[in-house]
Amino acid sequence: MTSTAPTAPTVQIVSTRPFDGQRPGTSGLRKKVTVFQQLHYLENFVQALFDILPEQVGPLAGQTLVVGGDGRFHNRVAVQTILKMAAAGGVGRVMVGRGGLLSTPAASAVIRKHGAYGGIILSASHNPGGPDGDFGIKYNIANGGPAPEKITEAIYARTRDITEYRTLAGAADLDLDRLGTTTLAGMTVEVIDPVADYAELMQKLFDFDAMRAWFARGGRMRMDSMGAISGPYARAVLEGLLGAPAGTVVNGEPLEDFGGHHPDPNPAHATELIAAMSGAGAPDFGAASDGDADRNMILGRDFVVTPSDSLALLAAHATKVPGYRDGLAGIARSMPTSQAADVVAQALGIPAWETPTGWKFFGNLLDAGKATLCGEESYGTGSNHVREKDGLWAILFWLNLLAATGESVESLVRAHWKRFGRHYYSRHDWEGIPTERADALMAALREQLPTLAGRRFGALEIAQADDFSYTDPVDGSVSSRQGVRLILAGGSRVVFRLSGTGTEGATLRVYLERFEPADGDHDRPTQDALADLIALADTVARIRELSGQTAPTVIT
């Protein structure tokens, strides 16, 4: 009896047709899992990416790509699809996290450390997971950051006229659960420890001896990974390298449906953590991260820190941390984020940059050495160590400050307010608005802009009304229509913006900010302090009338 050798995989060209709506948003392409499960849907997008990269970036053949995701449902299937298409496309080497896992900041770190051509990250970030949840894909460039608009727009243009894609016929799925190197149709596939490079980088930035001592002295922490990808990283660093007691990290196993959690670390969704951090017996320090580990939430005992305050405070104390001991080149924030960081930058004598929403806008500033720390109001903070926001990095920064100062979370924030003043801040999300209604609301708001300056609403006077436009100081690119701003006499602000991170309908985000000076009242309930701004926002934008909704769905 004669045995037949296995047939080697061969390149297969598959006919396809375009799908509508494959335009990447601020953080890639996000849709329902069921959309991505459509025949050819993921393949079309990946082939469009591979088709445009040689012209936009340089030859792809023989290059190294990094691939991984947050472990949500469909992650494993998508990774196998991408590996086969990469081999068919002539990619030389793919580094993939064990199990197909890589947090978004870790993927950025791996790209940068190993000089990769770029990376494909599979995540819908803080959006829900599971078979009925969301999925996403985005491309990161060689600096480790999200692709700029010229690349994402080129991908979209290609998806609109694609007729075929390349994959492998006769290729079995690879074993991604075992570390090591194998080949796939001539392409090297290296399965790497998803935590190792990231943990090594953290040890270069922070004082691990001081943090170990904090735990050894009895400091207590609760880290909620929300059933998502930060779990393995937090366990390795906090419970492993820093000696935190076992159980410090909760919900630490990455699950395809995040264990039923909505992995968005804010007061609306991190209710378990907030409850655990309440009362005299609560831990000293609480933190959470999101689906792909790029966001963070910081808490003290009975005390929640806003992301805007967190960025400002980290900047003010940066020189207490080894990686930033030489000071900061500048601070960057997204336009809707509160101006608290600007006040710190002014005191430090360094630039404060205001960019559109989307981490990709920080990349040029970081690469050019114009900024060191950056942040967004949506619980994202980061620095020049990678080109993504980084949840665990921010948590370690806070832990390092607690260890270095001996202060509590609340005492650090209150001292900050006494020095710089408090920026009362909140975001009201109106989710699931029919797209045509949301577009009409923003159009009506923009029509009013020429007439709003000088108008009074009770005790409030609008000093300036505009549609934010950003000219990149590095490459001169212009991003317009980035959000409507109402700037009031005295510096309070109301900002209106449609979000690009949802998968159903449109989300109107209304950002509200009121400044209270250093010698003012810092103890008012936030929504009370902002009540007149909330009323103004609804009056000017006619939110309830035009959205068809009676109240915001989420307030953070």
Short mmCIF file of all heavy atoms in Angstrom, two decimals, residues 356-390:
data_model
loop_
_atom_site.label_atom_id
_atom_site.label_comp_id
_atom_site.label_asym_id
_atom_site.label_seq_id
_atom_site.Cartn_x
_atom_site.Cartn_y
_atom_site.Cartn_z
N PRO A 356 -7.59 66.31 17.53
CA PRO A 356 -8.87 65.60 17.41
C PRO A 356 -8.87 64.30 18.22
O PRO A 356 -7.81 63.81 18.63
CB PRO A 356 -8.98 65.31 15.91
CG PRO A 356 -8.06 66.27 15.25
CD PRO A 356 -6.93 66.47 16.22
N THR A 357 -10.04 63.73 18.42
CA THR A 357 -10.15 62.43 19.08
C THR A 357 -9.57 61.35 18.18
O THR A 357 -9.77 61.34 16.98
CB THR A 357 -11.62 62.14 19.40
OG1 THR A 357 -12.08 63.10 20.35
CG2 THR A 357 -11.79 60.74 19.97
N GLY A 358 -8.86 60.41 18.77
CA GLY A 358 -8.23 59.33 18.03
C GLY A 358 -6.73 59.31 18.31
O GLY A 358 -6.05 60.31 18.08
N TRP A 359 -6.25 58.18 18.82
CA TRP A 359 -4.86 58.12 19.27
C TRP A 359 -3.88 58.35 18.13
O TRP A 359 -2.75 58.78 18.35
CB TRP A 359 -4.59 56.77 19.93
CG TRP A 359 -3.52 56.87 20.95
CD1 TRP A 359 -2.20 56.51 20.82
CD2 TRP A 359 -3.64 57.40 22.28
NE1 TRP A 359 -1.52 56.77 21.98
CE2 TRP A 359 -2.38 57.32 22.90
CE3 TRP A 359 -4.71 57.92 23.01
CZ2 TRP A 359 -2.15 57.75 24.20
CZ3 TRP A 359 -4.49 58.34 24.30
CH2 TRP A 359 -3.22 58.26 24.89
N LYS A 360 -4.31 58.10 16.90
CA LYS A 360 -3.39 58.28 15.77
C LYS A 360 -2.90 59.72 15.68
O LYS A 360 -1.81 59.97 15.15
CB LYS A 360 -4.10 57.89 14.47
CG LYS A 360 -5.37 58.66 14.17
CD LYS A 360 -6.15 58.06 13.03
CE LYS A 360 -7.47 58.75 12.81
NZ LYS A 360 -8.30 58.07 11.80
N PHE A 361 -3.66 60.69 16.20
CA PHE A 361 -3.25 62.08 16.11
C PHE A 361 -2.08 62.40 17.05
O PHE A 361 -1.39 63.40 16.86
CB PHE A 361 -4.43 63.01 16.40
CG PHE A 361 -5.49 62.96 15.33
CD1 PHE A 361 -6.67 62.27 15.55
CD2 PHE A 361 -5.30 63.58 14.11
CE1 PHE A 361 -7.65 62.20 14.57
CE2 PHE A 361 -6.27 63.54 13.12
CZ PHE A 361 -7.45 62.84 13.35
N PHE A 362 -1.88 61.57 18.07
CA PHE A 362 -0.76 61.80 18.97
C PHE A 362 0.56 61.29 18.39
O PHE A 362 1.64 61.69 18.83
CB PHE A 362 -0.99 61.10 20.32
CG PHE A 362 -2.14 61.66 21.11
CD1 PHE A 362 -3.04 60.82 21.75
CD2 PHE A 362 -2.33 63.03 21.23
CE1 PHE A 362 -4.09 61.32 22.50
CE2 PHE A 362 -3.38 63.54 21.97
CZ PHE A 362 -4.27 62.69 22.60
N GLY A 363 0.49 60.36 17.43
CA GLY A 363 1.69 59.69 16.94
C GLY A 363 2.75 60.64 16.42
O GLY A 363 3.93 60.52 16.75
N ASN A 364 2.33 61.61 15.58
CA ASN A 364 3.31 62.54 15.02
C ASN A 364 3.97 63.38 16.10
O ASN A 364 5.17 63.67 16.05
CB ASN A 364 2.64 63.46 13.99
CG ASN A 364 2.51 62.82 12.63
OD1 ASN A 364 2.97 61.70 12.42
ND2 ASN A 364 1.89 63.51 11.69
N LEU A 365 3.18 63.81 17.10
CA LEU A 365 3.73 64.61 18.19
C LEU A 365 4.76 63.82 18.99
O LEU A 365 5.82 64.34 19.36
CB LEU A 365 2.60 65.09 19.10
CG LEU A 365 1.57 66.03 18.48
CD1 LEU A 365 0.41 66.26 19.44
CD2 LEU A 365 2.20 67.37 18.10
N LEU A 366 4.44 62.56 19.25
CA LEU A 366 5.36 61.71 20.01
C LEU A 366 6.62 61.42 19.20
O LEU A 366 7.74 61.51 19.71
CB LEU A 366 4.67 60.40 20.40
CG LEU A 366 3.49 60.52 21.38
CD1 LEU A 366 2.75 59.19 21.47
CD2 LEU A 366 3.95 60.96 22.75
N ASP A 367 6.44 61.08 17.92
CA ASP A 367 7.59 60.77 17.08
C ASP A 367 8.52 61.98 16.93
O ASP A 367 9.75 61.83 16.85
CB ASP A 367 7.13 60.32 15.69
CG ASP A 367 6.58 58.91 15.68
OD1 ASP A 367 6.75 58.20 16.69
OD2 ASP A 367 5.96 58.52 14.67
N ALA A 368 7.93 63.18 16.87
CA ALA A 368 8.72 64.40 16.68
C ALA A 368 9.30 64.94 17.98
O ALA A 368 9.98 65.98 17.97
CB ALA A 368 7.85 65.47 16.01
N GLY A 369 9.01 64.27 19.10
CA GLY A 369 9.53 64.73 20.39
C GLY A 369 8.84 65.97 20.92
O GLY A 369 9.38 66.67 21.79
N LYS A 370 7.64 66.26 20.43
CA LYS A 370 6.91 67.44 20.88
C LYS A 370 6.04 67.17 22.10
O LYS A 370 5.57 68.10 22.76
CB LYS A 370 6.04 67.99 19.74
CG LYS A 370 6.84 68.58 18.58
CD LYS A 370 5.93 69.10 17.49
CE LYS A 370 6.72 69.78 16.37
NZ LYS A 370 7.40 71.01 16.84
N ALA A 371 5.77 65.90 22.39
CA ALA A 371 4.96 65.54 23.56
C ALA A 371 5.53 64.27 24.17
O ALA A 371 6.12 63.44 23.47
CB ALA A 371 3.50 65.33 23.17
N THR A 372 5.34 64.12 25.48
CA THR A 372 5.77 62.92 26.19
C THR A 372 4.57 62.15 26.74
O THR A 372 4.50 60.93 26.62
CB THR A 372 6.73 63.26 27.34
OG1 THR A 372 7.80 64.05 26.85
CG2 THR A 372 7.28 62.00 27.99
N LEU A 373 3.63 62.87 27.36
CA LEU A 373 2.41 62.26 27.87
C LEU A 373 1.23 62.71 27.02
O LEU A 373 1.20 63.84 26.50
CB LEU A 373 2.15 62.65 29.32
CG LEU A 373 3.18 62.25 30.38
CD1 LEU A 373 2.62 62.55 31.77
CD2 LEU A 373 3.57 60.79 30.27
N CYS A 374 0.23 61.84 26.90
CA CYS A 374 -0.97 62.20 26.16
C CYS A 374 -2.16 61.45 26.74
O CYS A 374 -2.01 60.44 27.41
CB CYS A 374 -0.81 61.91 24.67
SG CYS A 374 0.07 60.38 24.29
N GLY A 375 -3.36 61.99 26.48
CA GLY A 375 -4.53 61.35 27.05
C GLY A 375 -5.82 61.82 26.45
O GLY A 375 -5.90 62.88 25.82
N GLU A 376 -6.86 61.01 26.67
CA GLU A 376 -8.21 61.29 26.21
C GLU A 376 -9.18 61.13 27.37
O GLU A 376 -8.94 60.32 28.27
CB GLU A 376 -8.61 60.34 25.08
CG GLU A 376 -7.78 60.48 23.83
CD GLU A 376 -8.23 59.54 22.72
OE1 GLU A 376 -8.75 58.46 23.03
OE2 GLU A 376 -8.05 59.90 21.55
N GLU A 377 -10.28 61.85 27.30
CA GLU A 377 -11.28 61.77 28.36
C GLU A 377 -11.93 60.40 28.44
O GLU A 377 -12.53 60.06 29.46
CB GLU A 377 -12.36 62.84 28.16
CG GLU A 377 -12.98 62.89 26.77
CD GLU A 377 -13.88 61.73 26.45
OE1 GLU A 377 -14.57 61.26 27.38
OE2 GLU A 377 -13.89 61.27 25.29
N SER A 378 -11.81 59.60 27.39
CA SER A 378 -12.45 58.29 27.34
C SER A 378 -11.59 57.22 28.00
O SER A 378 -11.50 56.09 27.51
CB SER A 378 -12.78 57.92 25.90
OG SER A 378 -11.63 58.03 25.07
N TYR A 379 -10.94 57.58 29.09
CA TYR A 379 -10.18 56.65 29.94
C TYR A 379 -8.95 56.09 29.23
O TYR A 379 -8.54 54.97 29.48
CB TYR A 379 -11.10 55.52 30.46
CG TYR A 379 -12.15 56.06 31.42
CD1 TYR A 379 -13.34 56.60 30.93
CD2 TYR A 379 -11.93 56.08 32.78
CE1 TYR A 379 -14.29 57.15 31.79
CE2 TYR A 379 -12.87 56.61 33.66
CZ TYR A 379 -14.04 57.15 33.15
OH TYR A 379 -14.97 57.69 34.00
N GLY A 380 -8.35 56.91 28.37
CA GLY A 380 -7.12 56.52 27.70
C GLY A 380 -5.98 57.46 28.06
O GLY A 380 -6.12 58.68 27.97
N THR A 381 -4.86 56.89 28.49
CA THR A 381 -3.68 57.66 28.86
C THR A 381 -2.46 56.92 28.33
O THR A 381 -2.45 55.69 28.26
CB THR A 381 -3.54 57.80 30.39
OG1 THR A 381 -4.84 57.85 30.99
CG2 THR A 381 -2.76 59.04 30.77
N GLY A 382 -1.42 57.66 27.94
CA GLY A 382 -0.23 56.99 27.44
C GLY A 382 0.95 57.93 27.38
O GLY A 382 0.89 59.09 27.81
N SER A 383 2.05 57.43 26.81
CA SER A 383 3.26 58.23 26.71
C SER A 383 4.04 57.78 25.48
O SER A 383 3.57 56.97 24.67
CB SER A 383 4.12 58.10 27.98
OG SER A 383 4.96 56.96 27.94
N ASN A 384 5.27 58.28 25.38
CA ASN A 384 6.09 57.97 24.22
C ASN A 384 6.73 56.59 24.28
O ASN A 384 7.53 56.25 23.42
CB ASN A 384 7.17 59.04 24.03
CG ASN A 384 8.07 59.19 25.25
OD1 ASN A 384 7.87 58.55 26.28
ND2 ASN A 384 9.07 60.06 25.14
N HIS A 385 6.37 55.77 25.26
CA HIS A 385 6.95 54.42 25.34
C HIS A 385 6.37 53.50 24.27
O HIS A 385 7.02 52.55 23.84
CB HIS A 385 6.77 53.82 26.74
CG HIS A 385 5.35 53.47 27.08
ND1 HIS A 385 4.37 54.41 27.28
CD2 HIS A 385 4.75 52.26 27.26
CE1 HIS A 385 3.22 53.81 27.57
NE2 HIS A 385 3.42 52.51 27.56
N VAL A 386 5.12 53.72 23.89
CA VAL A 386 4.49 53.03 22.76
C VAL A 386 3.69 54.09 22.00
O VAL A 386 3.73 55.28 22.33
CB VAL A 386 3.57 51.86 23.21
CG1 VAL A 386 4.39 50.72 23.78
CG2 VAL A 386 2.51 52.32 24.20
N ARG A 387 2.94 53.67 20.99
CA ARG A 387 2.14 54.63 20.23
C ARG A 387 0.66 54.29 20.32
O ARG A 387 -0.12 54.51 19.40
CB ARG A 387 2.60 54.68 18.76
CG ARG A 387 4.01 55.22 18.58
CD ARG A 387 4.12 56.68 19.06
NE ARG A 387 5.47 57.20 18.86
CZ ARG A 387 6.43 57.17 19.77
NH1 ARG A 387 6.20 56.59 20.96
NH2 ARG A 387 7.62 57.69 19.52
N GLU A 388 0.27 53.74 21.46
CA GLU A 388 -1.12 53.48 21.80
C GLU A 388 -1.36 53.94 23.22
O GLU A 388 -0.41 54.07 24.01
CB GLU A 388 -1.44 51.98 21.70
CG GLU A 388 -1.47 51.41 20.29
CD GLU A 388 -2.78 51.68 19.57
OE1 GLU A 388 -3.66 52.37 20.13
OE2 GLU A 388 -2.92 51.18 18.44
N LYS A 389 -2.61 54.21 23.56
CA LYS A 389 -2.90 54.40 24.97
C LYS A 389 -2.67 53.07 25.68
O LYS A 389 -2.70 52.02 25.06
CB LYS A 389 -4.31 54.92 25.18
CG LYS A 389 -5.43 54.19 24.47
CD LYS A 389 -6.74 54.94 24.67
CE LYS A 389 -7.89 54.34 23.86
NZ LYS A 389 -7.90 54.81 22.47
N ASP A 390 -2.42 53.12 26.98
CA ASP A 390 -1.92 51.93 27.66
C ASP A 390 -2.48 51.88 29.08
O ASP A 390 -2.05 52.62 29.97
CB ASP A 390 -0.39 51.96 27.68
CG ASP A 390 0.23 50.66 28.19
OD1 ASP A 390 -0.50 49.83 28.75
OD2 ASP A 390 1.45 50.49 28.00
#
